[in-house]
């Protein structure tokens, strides 16, 4: 596949909250690529179309040095999700960037039917920023913020081929932005011989061995991923954490991070839309999340 961010679509519903996706879209845009603001008119009668060109103009002022073609369109469709997917296909988009809140169809975009349509039925990676009600400007103000500059990528892996689909995306973005990657895995097991726990000694020994084996396996696949990144000239570090994946990943995130997650995997990533892992990570609101498809494809050189 091409380097991600060469053709970005940003859904916009007229609200300043949905406009919070603009900064992330600029930060993920590939120099020389294109970004399109798309308003899906569901027949609600809102006069949003006249806002689009001024917003596009504000974004153009922050285009990367390599250039970025920015435009805006209105698509008429009775269903927001289907309309966004249709426009993404028509435009040849390789990434959809959106806010988790907004008016109309976008109000449920992170975890409801709209995103279910976009991710389950579409074939596009989706980047999600959790909009903060207490920290947003006008739509024009959001368009004038400039690009989101991420300083680190967090990449959760579980050893499966499907979760590894996110690795080439992380390598491409990290190389492009000259940022390091933190490779993360979680072990959702507790050693049964921990102080204060009462249990059958034989069962405890078996579970402790399983715990040790699982951590060793996690260390192994993270080391493999680290070597892959090193071959691409990307610096990385690894961390294996105990506990549930969602809270553990969210707890690592800091302002300026970008979390990249695959849509399927062994430890809950297969429920990336409706399940607890992505819900907790995205709703933590600390860092945006880029959700990639589970089909592993190599990123072609840019």
């Amino acid at each position: 596949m091409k380097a991600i961010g060469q053709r970005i679509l940003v859904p916009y519903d007229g609200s300043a909250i949905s406009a919070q996706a603009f900064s992330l879209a600029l930060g993920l845009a590939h120099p020389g690529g294109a970004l399109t603001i798309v308003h899906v008119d569901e027949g609600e009668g809102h006069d949003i179309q006249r806002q689009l060109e001024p917003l596009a103009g504000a974004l153009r002022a922050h285009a990367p040095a390599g250039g970025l073609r920015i435009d805006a369109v209105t698509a008429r469709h009775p269903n927001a999700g289907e309309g966004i997917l249709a426009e993404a296909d028509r435009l040849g988009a390789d990434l959809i960037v959106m806010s988790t809140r907004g008016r109309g169809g976008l109000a449920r975009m992170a975890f409801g039917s709209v995103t279910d349509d976009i991710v389950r039925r579409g074939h596009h990676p989706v980047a999600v920023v959790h909009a903060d009600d207490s920290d947003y400007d006008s739509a024009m103000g959001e368009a004038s913020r400039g690009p989101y500059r991420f300083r680190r990528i967090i990449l959760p892996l579980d050893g499966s081929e499907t979760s590894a689909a996110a690795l080439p995306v992380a390598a491409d973005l990290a190389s492009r932005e000259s940022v390091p990657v933190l490779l993360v895995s979680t072990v959702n097991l507790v050693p049964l011989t921990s102080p204060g726990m009462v249990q059958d000694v034989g069962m405890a020994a078996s579970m402790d061995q399983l715990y040790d084996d699982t951590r060793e396996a996690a260390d192994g696949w993270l080391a493999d991923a680290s070597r892959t990144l090193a071959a691409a000239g990307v610096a990385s570090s690894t961390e294996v954490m105990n506990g549930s994946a969602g809270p553990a990943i969210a707890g690592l995130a800091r302002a300026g991070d970008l979390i990249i997650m695959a849509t399927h995997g062994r430890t809950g990533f297969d429920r990336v839309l409706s399940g607890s892992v992505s819900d907790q990570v995205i709703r933590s609101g600390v860092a945006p999340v880029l959700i990639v498809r589970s089909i592993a494809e190599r990123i072609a050189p840019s």
Side-chain angles (χ1 to χ4, degrees), residues 113-265:
S113 61
V114 174
T115 297
D116 280 347
D117 284 345
I118 291 171
V119 177
R120 296 183 188 280
R121 295 170 49 198
H123 53 272
H124 315 86
V126 181
V128 182
V129 58
H130 184 273
D132 185 348
D133 289 338
S134 64
D135 182 26
Y136 67 88
D137 205 337
S138 64
M140 184 60 70
E142 294 295 339
S144 302
R145 281 181 182 265
Y148 177 79
R149 298 298 186 189
F150 50 93
R151 298 187 293 270
R152 180 180 68 167
I153 290 173
I154 298 177
L155 178 60
L157 296 172
D158 68 357
S160 67
E161 291 184 4
T162 48
S163 75
L167 183 58
V169 175
D172 172 68
L173 288 174
S175 177
R176 186 196 312 172
E177 299 297 324
S178 299
V179 299
V181 177
L182 174 59
L183 299 162
V184 179
S185 193
T186 59
V187 178
N188 197 13
L189 294 169
V190 177
L192 295 184
T193 53
S194 298
M197 297 190 72
V198 179
Q199 66 285 308
D200 177 82
V201 175
M203 179 180 293
S206 296
M207 291 301 295
D208 285 351
Q209 185 62 53
L210 175 60
Y211 174 83
D212 291 340
D213 291 346
T214 303
R215 282 195 65 94
E216 182 178 355
D219 285 333
W221 64 61
L222 292 184
D224 289 343
S226 183
R227 284 190 288 271
T228 298
L229 291 174
V234 174
S236 66
S237 57
T238 65
E239 184 165 350
V240 179
M241 300 176 294
N242 295 330
S244 179
I249 296 166
L252 280 176
R254 300 290 183 268
D257 285 342
L258 173 67
I259 303 169
I260 303 180
M261 302 176 69
T263 57
H264 291 79

Side-chain angles (χ1 to χ4, degrees), residues 64-77:
L68 181 67
R69 181 167 60 85
I70 299 174
D71 58 7
V73 299
T74 295
R76 289 176 173 79
H77 199 286

